[in-house]
Amino acid sequence: MMAFPSEAVARSRVLVVGDLMLDRYWFGEVERISPEAPVPVVRVARREDRLGGAANVARNIVSLGAQATLVGVVGDDEAGRRIAALSQQEGIDARLVVDPQLPTTLKMRVMGRQQQLLRVDFEETPDGGCLDMLKGDVEALIARHDMVVLSDYAKGALARVEGLIQAARAAGIPVLVDPKGHAYRRYAGATIITPNRAEMTDAVGRWSTEAELEERAQRLRGELSLEALLVTRSEQGMTLFTDEGRQHIDAQAHEVFDVSGAGDTVLAALAVTRAAGLPWFEAVKWANRAGGVVVGKLGTSVVTAGELT
């Protein structure tokens, strides 16, 4: 495999738009069961906040050496300010739309003995006014970038994704979409979408053979006018569908420690290598390698260019 294109990646500018989250971890020791209910008592010893959702995609893009601008919606609260501060620390140019009526999406995980014992989510859907502001920000920024990444976690920031795709197409900028749900018509006109196995099943139904998957994937690609469609398949690797047909790469052999955030890393690696000028399948190979590295780490982690060489 050729060397990672670090110099071209460093010149690449990627605009990430989507659902922003704060991943909050409370790590502790479990030594007894609560007398109040049959649950473990966790004595918290360490706390850690990490960027999640679309913000984790941007974090991975910067970690791989490219430049990232991040657009999304946060609340006027501690979690929103934490996302802004962490973005600045990571070198991300964050353009956050602040909605005073909205809590920032926060996923709080309680960890004991290196295992997740509990997750508590805080989230609400942004209103139309915020989405108008988000679209205006995106339209103002698109032309300064080589690639647009739309990271959809179904939290509402991409409720009007069609307009964002149209704006990018009008500017001649490629659009990568990490989709959610089954209503893929809304992603029509994107350059590539990257559903995982479950998301692809939601969109096209279950398949029993590779030929059946190929037929359905190519039909979906045609219906949505996509240049490419990448199905990420965990331990089965990744399969790319383009005009050239089907190209598959097996998963890297590794010990899986934690899959959270792996899709963000794959998306980031695909975006920066494609923005650097690599053909789709070469970009997929780097994305596959990056995904293989990140699942060996705990929590929403990042991969550096050095770890891929």
Side-chain angles (χ1 to χ4, degrees):
M1 192 165 168
M2 61 191 284
F4 187 74
S6 297
E7 287 186 18
V9 165
R11 292 190 296 271
S12 302
R13 296 160 303 171
V14 183
L15 176 60
V16 182
V17 188
D19 295 301
L20 308 184
M21 305 175 199
L22 185 66
D23 286 318
R24 176 159 287 169
Y25 295 85
W26 287 2
F27 298 92
E29 297 300 320
V30 178
E31 293 168 351
R32 63 194 181 98
I33 300 298
S34 170
E36 303 164 358
V39 294
V41 174
V42 181
R43 189 164 55 85
V44 175
R46 181 166 63 89
R47 305 175 189 197
E48 188 175 328
D49 289 341
R50 297 179 186 175
L51 295 171
N56 190 46
V57 178
R59 180 175 169 237
N60 272 274
I61 286 167
V62 170
S63 179
L64 288 166
Q67 303 161 57
T69 306
L70 177 65
V71 179
V73 181
V74 296
D76 183 12
D77 54 17
E78 181 268 339
R81 288 185 283 277
R82 194 82 181 103
I83 287 176
L86 287 171
S87 297
Q88 188 174 21
Q89 284 175 29
E90 298 282 356
I92 299 164
D93 180 7
R95 311 292 183 95
L96 307 180
V97 176
V98 179
D99 180 355
Q101 311 302 317
L102 183 84
T104 300
T105 300
L106 170 66
K107 293 183 178 181
M108 195 165 75
R109 299 168 176 90
V110 180
M111 315 288 290
R113 295 178 183 163
Q114 295 293 304
Q115 287 184 309
Q116 188 176 145
L117 302 177
L118 177 70
R119 193 178 98 184
V120 183
D121 289 8
F122 302 85
E123 61 184 58
E124 282 181 33
T125 305
D127 65 19
C130 276
L131 299 183
D132 290 341
M133 290 170 66
L134 182 141
K135 185 169 186 279
D137 288 352
V138 169
E139 288 173 343
L141 291 164
I142 278 177
R144 299 184 224 162
H145 294 81
D146 306 301
M147 180 75 66
V148 175
V149 172
L150 302 178
S151 177
D152 196 347
Y153 274 80
K155 307 299 183 193
L158 295 180
R160 301 178 184 171
V161 70
E162 300 91 340
L164 303 178
I165 292 172
Q166 287 169 9
R169 283 197 76 146
I173 308 299
V175 184
L176 276 68
V177 179
D178 189 13
K180 265 290 178 287
H182 61 273
Y184 279 19
R185 172 57 52 192
R186 53 204 293 267
Y187 304 123
T191 311
I192 184 172
I193 61 173
T194 61
N196 61 30
R197 195 165 43 194
E199 289 160 349
M200 188 64 176
T201 303
D202 280 349
V204 302
R206 293 191 177 277
W207 59 87
S208 52
T209 65
E210 289 299 308
E212 194 177 357
L213 170 60
E214 181 173 7
E215 188 270 326
R216 293 183 187 189
Q218 293 289 29
R219 188 193 317 145
L220 180 63
R221 194 173 69 84
E223 288 170 358
L224 301 183
S225 303
L226 306 172
E227 192 178 307
L229 190 157
L230 177 67
V231 183
T232 60
R233 307 170 67 181
S234 300
E235 75 283 353
Q236 294 177 337
M238 300 181 183
T239 312
L240 178 71
F241 300 95
T242 62
D243 283 343
E244 296 173 27
R246 172 191 184 275
Q247 292 172 288
H248 181 79
I249 183 167
D250 289 330
Q252 301 256 309
H254 46 66
E255 182 180 357
V256 176
F257 192 68
D258 188 348
V259 298
S260 60
D264 299 335
T265 301
V266 166
L267 191 66
L270 189 68
V272 302
T273 50
R274 182 64 179 173
L278 267 56
W280 278 123
F281 195 55
E282 289 301 316
V284 168
K285 288 177 183 175
W286 286 113
N288 186 56
R289 181 174 288 194
V293 171
V294 82
V295 294
K297 302 180 179 186
L298 176 65
T300 44
S301 299
V302 294
V303 172
T304 65
E307 289 174 299
L308 299 183
T309 52

